[in-house]
Amino acid sequence: MRRAVCPGSFDPVTLGHLDIFERASHMFDEVIISVFVNPTKDKALFPMEERVALIEKATAHLPNVRVTSFSGLLNEFCRKEEAAFIVRGLRAFSDFEYEFQRALLMKKIDHSIETVFIMTDERYSCLSSSAVREMLYFGGDITGFVPPSIKDDIMKRARSAQ
Ligand code: ADP
């Protein structure tokens, strides 16, 4: 069983993330999307359980994808789930430096885990959760940024948070 973990903050999940999940679901037998706390990022807009629920709704059409959350080290999560692969999306050069360091660190911690990178689709190369949060803050239109099935849920939640 080729099992991969897609870790991330997903605050909130975007069309760029969904594209990576869909492509990973064709490459692996099972894909586990796991919402992690990223201690280097500011306080999240969406609580953990809501981020999980949004991803579950957006990936309902992908039968070999499961969504969960984890608070801890990624290598421990992979071991617990018996996943030998980590999938990360790559956008611009700015992602590369960060992802390169993380992948090498992961190899040092656990040599059996392989990090696999999927290049962004050019439609989503400038799309990020922080851009979506900024749009929400200023009441902008997030059509084309987030999966259509969860757009209203995201807008509703953002309005109640303000
Ligand atoms: P993290 O806090 O772990 O960086 P993110 O939710 O920001 O979590 O991103 C999760 C993963 O998705 C990362 O590998 C990131 O590079 C990737 N990603 C984010 N946005 C896009 C996008 N538009 N296209 C492709 N990959 C993306």
Side-chain angles (χ1 to χ4, degrees), residues 24-52:
S25 77
H26 295 134
M27 295 164 63
F28 298 95
D29 299 313
E30 188 182 27
V31 173
I32 307 168
I33 303 167
S34 190
V35 181
F36 275 77
V37 174
N38 185 333
T40 67
K41 291 191 175 173
D42 292 340
K43 198 178 164 296
L45 176 61
F46 293 86
M48 203 78 148
E49 323 76 66
E50 282 183 33
R51 282 183 264 165
V52 169

Side-chain angles (χ1 to χ4, degrees), residues 7-11 14 16-17 20 38 41 88-91 95 98-99 102 120 124-125 127-129:
S9 317
F10 310 119
D11 184 35
T14 69
H17 293 132
I20 300 296
N38 185 333
K41 291 191 175 173
R88 298 281 292 175
L90 261 192
R91 284 161 299 179
D95 273 348
Y98 174 71
E99 297 294 343
R102 278 182 62 132
T120 187
Y124 310 128
S125 61
L127 181 52
S128 63
S129 297

Side-chain angles (χ1 to χ4, degrees), residues 123-140:
R123 285 173 296 171
Y124 310 128
S125 61
C126 297
L127 181 52
S128 63
S129 297
S130 59
V132 173
R133 291 198 301 274
E134 205 173 314
M135 295 287 283
L136 289 171
Y137 184 82
F138 292 110

